[in-house]
Amino acid sequence: MKISVLNDQPEGILLISFFRKNELPATTPVHFKAEKGELWWSSADQLWIGLGDQPSLSSIRKTVRKVFHNRKDQWPEQLAVDVRGQSDEWVENMISGILLGGYKIGLYKSGNQVLCPLYEPEGVLHLLTDHPEEYLKPLIEQAEHTVAVQSRIMDLINAPGNKKPPRVLASWALTSGEQFGYNVKVLDKEELYEQGFAALLAVNQGSDEEPALIVCDYAPENYQTTVALVGKGITFDTGGISIKPSANMHLMKSDMGGAAAVLGVVELAARLKMPVRLIGIIPSTENCIDGKSVKPGDVIGSYAGKTIEVIDTDAEGRLVLADGLSYAVRQYQPDVVIDLATLTGSVIQTLGYAAAGLFTANTQLAEQLILAGEQTGEKVWPLPLWDDYAEEIVSEIADVKNFHGKPLAGAIVAAKFLEVFTDKHPAWVHLDIAGMAFGDQDLFPGRAGTAYGVRLL
């Protein structure tokens, strides 16, 4: 799809206008209420779409995406959208919604998935505006780059475990770095042994697929700040010896949602040439079952030099993150450290599918992320990181244990475990995205990757 700019209403091309409930023209027919996603054909070549009452920017994007997704096989080759009088952010979110509406989830279906001509290379989306083309060009490019990255990340999350072992994530990063101008290095199993990534290697013991530590380094000229992003890269999670129930185990292909977000943020920053250095660190492995698998009760080491008593092998994400966080802090001395992980079912019990759990002792960072979440629709909500919970990870035979074995405060206790491996970094944030990385059930009933974290960060 190409995007063009028009200053006059086109003839013979479908024109789409968006309306809020409180901004309907006096001539509006009584049956059109401008509810979210409501459609009304005002004439053969004019379509009105309702946005609801005082919609947020993210709500506009989601509403537009759903409308275009539901009719993705019916749009003509060209259509126009009236964006006159709208803010820059409104325009960017509207364009993003339309582009995301054409996302195809059937990655491994035989034969072509038929979409309407609009979503083919010859399709054209015209923007009817009062501004010159030069004014809208940066907004269009931002939307195109953002959606391109989101779509690539959704593809990664939606791919089954056999199509994306750690070596595939590493190859993805290497190719992206070469294409968009940032450095990528991959530590293989031998290097991980040599450098002491004992926790990551312990989780990998039950898998035939070798682990990898993927390090992406986007360093523009004259940057002032270095941000390290650490993403949980479990490409499939059986739970190990502490095996998961079979009913929804297939959804565990999404357990690398944190890694996918990190890959996406680094690539998008490079595409948009953002003036901040980003270090993306992804400790990646499968968590499988084998005679060599780590067992409940085992004591393992870590990159930080601390010993860990493994109470539950299904609490493996925090083990690989422990090594990733230690490596980030000690090798790069970043100004800010943020980790993202589909870490606990507990956070879903607490927040449902509306927000990620936010853990940090840094009030300023918390406020910035909460605001960013409200603006982008990728919401976060703060949960305590008090030392009251530290006793839950005390081990009698090792420095720390990875699980407290209680049906309470699971997300908080997991965060306290991770905190041990941050060297008390003053600007560390943990985001538990278990309820957010894999959803979109209103578009895909079987659930799908959301690319949560890309817009937020």
Side-chain angles (χ1 to χ4, degrees):
M1 181 195 299
K2 297 180 286 290
I3 301 178
S4 76
V5 174
L6 298 176
N7 294 125
D8 297 307
Q9 185 166 337
E11 295 184 5
I13 295 177
L14 174 64
L15 176 65
I16 295 178
S17 300
F18 295 94
F19 291 95
R20 301 173 180 85
K21 293 181 71 172
N22 60 343
E23 294 180 355
L24 288 172
T27 56
T28 302
V30 67
H31 58 269
F32 182 71
K33 305 297 184 184
E35 302 288 352
K36 282 186 180 181
E38 183 182 358
L39 306 181
W40 183 66
W41 294 90
S42 63
S43 67
D45 56 1
Q46 290 206 22
L47 174 63
W48 290 9
I49 299 178
L51 296 175
D53 187 22
Q54 297 181 336
S56 64
L57 292 172
S58 62
S59 175
I60 291 168
R61 184 178 69 249
K62 291 176 181 177
T63 299
V64 173
R65 180 188 181 187
K66 187 173 183 179
V67 168
F68 274 76
H69 169 85
N70 290 343
R71 295 177 54 87
K72 61 181 178 290
D73 57 345
Q74 301 176 49
W75 300 110
E77 184 173 280
Q78 297 187 55
L79 60 78
V81 175
D82 190 349
V83 300
R84 291 173 294 184
Q86 304 293 355
S87 68
D88 293 356
E89 294 83 1
W90 191 100
V91 174
E92 191 274 325
N93 277 275
M94 184 279 302
I95 296 172
S96 293
I98 293 176
L99 295 177
L100 285 168
Y103 176 74
K104 295 186 287 188
I105 194 174
L107 303 175
Y108 303 99
K109 287 182 178 290
S110 57
N112 293 326
Q113 298 182 72
V114 178
L115 287 180
C116 63
L118 178 67
Y119 287 107
E120 299 299 330
E122 65 273 13
V124 182
L125 173 66
H126 302 283
L127 303 179
L128 179 59
T129 177
D130 297 325
H131 294 295
E133 181 176 0
E134 293 74 20
Y135 180 87
L136 285 186
K137 186 176 179 181
L139 300 179
I140 294 171
E141 290 181 349
Q142 179 177 329
E144 289 177 327
H145 282 303
T146 303
V147 171
V149 170
Q150 286 183 289
S151 298
R152 279 164 52 74
I153 296 310
M154 290 189 290
D155 280 350
L156 268 183
I157 299 173
N158 291 329
N162 65 322
K163 299 294 186 181
K164 58 176 181 196
R167 54 186 163 82
V168 171
L169 294 189
S171 177
W172 192 102
L174 288 164
T175 301
S176 174
E178 183 177 352
Q179 183 175 358
F180 297 107
Y182 61 92
N183 293 320
V184 179
K185 69 177 180 179
V186 179
L187 276 61
D188 61 20
K189 190 172 186 177
E190 182 178 351
E191 292 170 302
L192 293 173
Y193 271 114
E194 291 175 354
Q195 297 193 33
F197 288 85
L200 171 57
L201 289 165
V203 177
N204 178 252
Q205 285 175 199
S207 174
D208 284 338
E209 291 285 351
E210 293 202 350
L213 185 84
I214 304 163
V215 182
C216 306
D217 188 351
Y218 165 67
E221 294 183 0
N222 303 317
Y223 67 86
Q224 300 295 317
T225 303
T226 297
V227 177
L229 305 175
V230 184
K232 173 185 171 183
I234 302 295
T235 57
F236 192 81
D237 182 17
T238 67
I241 298 295
S242 309
I243 192 168
K244 293 177 179 291
S246 62
N248 289 312
M249 194 190 291
H250 65 285
L251 301 179
M252 288 300 99
K253 66 181 184 179
S254 67
D255 212 17
M256 38 64 73
V262 170
L263 290 173
V265 173
V266 175
E267 179 175 295
L268 184 54
R271 283 174 177 246
L272 298 178
K273 297 179 172 55
M274 297 181 72
V276 59
R277 186 185 183 191
L278 286 182
I279 309 295
I281 296 174
I282 296 166
S284 184
T285 178
E286 295 178 330
N287 184 26
C288 291
I289 303 171
D290 183 77
K292 298 178 181 178
S293 296
V294 65
K295 303 177 293 297
D298 285 357
V299 174
I300 63 174
S302 66
Y303 184 85
K306 298 182 183 297
T307 57
I308 304 168
E309 181 184 8
V310 178
I311 302 298
D312 191 326
T313 65
D314 194 24
E316 87 298 332
R318 65 200 70 181
L319 298 179
V320 303
L321 283 175
D323 277 357
L325 284 166
S326 296
Y327 182 82
V329 171
R330 296 183 180 187
Q331 294 296 321
Y332 293 97
Q333 296 81 47
D335 300 294
V336 177
V337 184
I338 302 174
D339 75 75
L340 303 91
T342 50
L343 206 61
T344 69
S346 172
V347 80
I348 301 175
Q349 293 173 335
T350 304
L351 299 173
Y353 299 97
L358 165 67
F359 300 85
T360 184
N362 189 303
T363 304
Q364 182 180 9
L365 276 174
E367 291 174 349
Q368 291 174 345
L369 282 161
I370 291 168
L371 178 60
E374 291 172 350
Q375 292 174 338
T376 61
E378 296 188 350
K379 297 178 182 177
V380 298
W381 191 254
L383 292 169
L385 200 59
W386 302 327
D387 284 339
D388 304 58
Y389 299 96
E391 65 184 32
E392 300 290 346
I393 55 172
V394 172
S395 168
E396 294 181 358
I397 65 170
D399 293 326
V400 68
K401 62 184 180 183
N402 78 327
F403 185 61
H404 65 332
K406 300 176 184 178
L408 50 85
I412 300 172
V413 173
K416 292 302 291 183
F417 176 88
L418 295 178
E419 186 181 39
V420 173
F421 299 90
T422 63
D423 288 351
K424 299 182 179 180
H425 195 288
W428 164 65
V429 177
H430 164 56
L431 297 176
D432 191 334
I433 65 172
M436 306 304 293
F438 204 61
D440 279 347
Q441 287 179 280
D442 55 336
L443 301 180
F444 308 105
R447 303 176 71 87
T450 64
Y452 179 94
V454 172
R455 281 184 174 267
L456 173 72
L457 295 181

